[in-house]
Amino acid sequence: MVGIPADDLTEIIASRVMEVDGKPQFHVRIGRPKLAPEGRSWFCAYEIVGPLTNRRGRFGGEDAMQALVNAIYCISVDVESCAENAQGRLSWFGDFKDFGLPSPPIRSEGEVSGPK
């Protein structure tokens, strides 16, 4: 998307603190979805900050809901692949495997979402 403002995280709508080595040092923040400047699509910014991780990202969608869901899927992937997790140091309420984030859906080629 073109023309997305540099500071997308002015209004945080959700956050999570996770532990690194048992200490609350890993922060995930999600900004309010915003209509893109061109007025047709939406984007949702997020930030992940830990001792070894400093990631800001955003993901778009056709509406605010899709942008938010897509951003949460990106956060899930970013948290799973961060250095703190790769080193086995990241946990959430003592759990080192389940961080309470949804995994992106994997669909077969040609599969369509919706009622079956």
Side-chain angles (χ1 to χ4, degrees):
M1 285 181 240
V2 179
I4 296 174
D7 188 10
D8 307 333
L9 286 165
T10 54
E11 188 176 357
I12 304 298
I13 63 165
S15 63
R16 171 165 294 166
V17 178
M18 299 166 72
E19 299 83 30
V20 177
D21 299 327
K23 298 176 187 156
Q25 304 179 55
F26 195 89
H27 303 269
V28 178
R29 298 175 188 93
I30 302 173
R32 177 178 297 283
K34 295 180 181 179
L35 187 61
E38 92 284 342
R40 291 187 307 272
S41 58
W42 289 75
F43 66 92
C44 185
Y46 65 92
E47 176 181 59
I48 303 170
V49 178
L52 303 173
T53 300
N54 190 356
R55 169 97 169 99
R56 288 187 102 172
R58 64 177 67 86
F59 213 95
E62 293 296 319
D63 59 19
M65 179 72 76
Q66 186 179 40
L68 175 61
V69 169
N70 286 341
I72 292 171
Y73 287 149
C74 284
I75 290 167
S76 177
V77 170
D78 286 348
V79 168
E80 289 288 331
S81 62
C82 74
E84 292 88 345
N85 190 43
Q87 294 173 0
R89 300 169 56 205
L90 186 65
S91 63
W92 185 54
F93 290 109
D95 194 328
F96 289 84
K97 295 185 188 282
D98 182 0
F99 303 126
L101 297 166
S103 296
I106 298 174
R107 295 195 177 111
S108 303
E109 189 174 323
E111 185 178 339
V112 179
S113 64
K116 295 184 180 190

